[in-house]
């Protein structure tokens, strides 16, 4: 019971918690979900959906962001906000990234009528960046499915820099050298270091949703978005809202 209370305190970001029986139910559900996630990876149950990206100047389709989805056979749709943190705590993130990347390359291989400038964005977590298997996996996928690197853009968050800055920048540099483009995801919510922005040489900056939502009703949000767009232009990067 003390261990359950400790886990609950960690989840709620508190120094301590008083144990109660409801915490048992939550922990048991998480353990059950973790077991099911392992099985879902074994059975290839995760799927990808693609959120389209449109050029605001000419309204043409220019790409999309790959989203991972899990349709649980018993519980129905499980939000990534639930199973991704669970995977991060259980060393399963790389297995998810592997399946997402393979399915993304397979989808690209099957498309015959994509625009020349079409590219798909794939998220990489800080755990992926720190995994020695990442670059070999990426090389294998583009070779196996014969995908030009220009078709893929990898999204990384600002916070991923902080774990091991030099390793992070080394991986980003290697991806650039392989021909991939790089985007900074959720820009404005992390550390927003101008030094890292300069050294990463990002091709794209994704403006976080918290600044875009209700932008028509908030002058502050409009000004923040304008500032980020100007910053992106100064570094030669595109912006995605």
């Amino acid at each position: 019971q003390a261990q359950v209370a400790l886990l609950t305190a960690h989840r709620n970001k508190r120094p301590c918690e008083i144990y109660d029986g409801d915490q048992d139910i939550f922990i048991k559900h998480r353990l059950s979900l973790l077991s099911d996630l392992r099985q879902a990876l074994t059975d290839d149950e995760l799927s990808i959906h693609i959120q389209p990206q449109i050029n605001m100047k000419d309204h043409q389709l220019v790409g999309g962001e790959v989203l991972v989805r899990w349709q649980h056979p018993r519980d129905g749709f499980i939000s990534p906000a639930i199973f991704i943190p669970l995977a991060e705590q259980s060393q399963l993130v790389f297995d998810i990234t592997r399946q997402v990347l393979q399915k993304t390359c397979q989808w690209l291989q099957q498309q015959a009528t994509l625009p020349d400038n079409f590219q798909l964005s794939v998220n990489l977590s800080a755990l992926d960046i720190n995994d020695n298997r990442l670059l070999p996996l990426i090389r294998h996928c583009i070779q196996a499915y014969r995908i030009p690197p220009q078709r893929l853009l990898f999204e990384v968050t600002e916070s991923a820099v902080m774990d091991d800055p030099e390793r992070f920048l080394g991986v980003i540099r290697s991806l650039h050298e392989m021909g991939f483009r790089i985007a900074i995801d959720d820009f404005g919510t992390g550390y927003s270091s101008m030094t890292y922005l300069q050294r990463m040489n990002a091709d794209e900056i994704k403006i976080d949703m918290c600044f875009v939502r209700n932008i028509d009703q908030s002058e502050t949000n409009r000004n923040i978005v304008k500032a980020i767009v100007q910053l992106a232009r100064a570094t030669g990067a595109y912006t995605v809202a």
Side-chain angles (χ1 to χ4, degrees), residues 48-162:
I48 61 168
H49 291 213
I50 298 174
Q51 184 178 44
Q53 294 178 344
I54 306 297
N55 187 323
M56 293 300 290
K57 291 183 178 179
D58 56 18
H59 298 171
Q60 296 298 306
L61 178 71
V62 293
E65 179 179 358
V66 177
L67 308 175
V68 61
R69 294 291 181 259
W70 180 20
Q71 190 69 23
H72 193 282
R74 182 187 66 249
D75 297 341
F77 174 74
I78 305 293
S79 170
I82 294 175
F83 74 81
I84 292 296
L86 192 61
E88 289 175 341
Q89 296 163 13
S90 310
Q91 304 299 312
L92 293 177
V93 166
F94 187 79
D95 295 316
I96 293 177
T97 300
R98 179 192 290 113
Q99 289 199 7
V100 168
L101 192 55
Q102 289 172 341
K103 291 176 186 292
T104 299
C105 289
Q106 185 179 38
W107 185 87
L108 283 169
Q109 186 186 52
Q110 294 170 348
Q111 309 308 309
T113 58
L114 292 175
D116 291 339
N117 63 341
F118 185 92
Q119 65 177 11
L120 286 183
S121 302
V122 177
N123 284 280
L124 296 178
S125 74
L127 294 175
D128 289 324
I129 295 289
N130 288 320
D131 197 310
N132 291 326
R133 298 171 292 174
L134 177 64
L135 294 179
L137 168 67
I138 292 172
R139 289 192 187 95
H140 169 75
C141 284
I142 62 171
Q143 290 170 2
Y145 294 97
R146 299 180 181 178
I147 303 300
Q150 295 77 15
R151 287 292 195 195
L152 290 173
L153 178 145
F154 290 108
E155 297 183 11
V156 296
T157 59
E158 297 172 84
S159 57
V161 182
M162 303 312 293

Side-chain angles (χ1 to χ4, degrees), residues 152-212:
L152 290 173
L153 178 145
F154 290 108
E155 297 183 11
V156 296
T157 59
E158 297 172 84
S159 57
V161 182
M162 303 312 293
D163 292 339
D164 187 342
E166 291 310 314
R167 177 180 177 81
F168 175 89
L169 293 170
V171 172
I172 296 302
R173 187 163 53 250
S174 295
L175 290 172
H176 264 138
E177 291 170 353
M178 293 164 64
F180 298 104
R181 302 178 75 220
I182 303 297
I184 303 177
D185 198 10
D186 301 335
F187 188 83
T189 61
Y191 298 91
S192 300
S193 167
M194 297 299 106
T195 302
Y196 288 126
L197 181 61
Q198 180 186 41
R199 294 179 66 186
M200 278 180 61
N201 192 27
D203 303 283
E204 188 176 283
I205 292 177
K206 297 192 69 179
I207 306 170
D208 189 76
M209 190 185 297
C210 67
F211 302 125
V212 179

Side-chain angles (χ1 to χ4, degrees), residues 16-30:
C16 61
E17 281 281 357
I18 303 299
Y19 169 82
D20 67 56
D22 290 341
Q23 295 170 6
D24 274 334
I25 298 173
F26 178 83
I27 295 296
K28 287 178 181 177
H29 180 258
R30 283 179 66 86

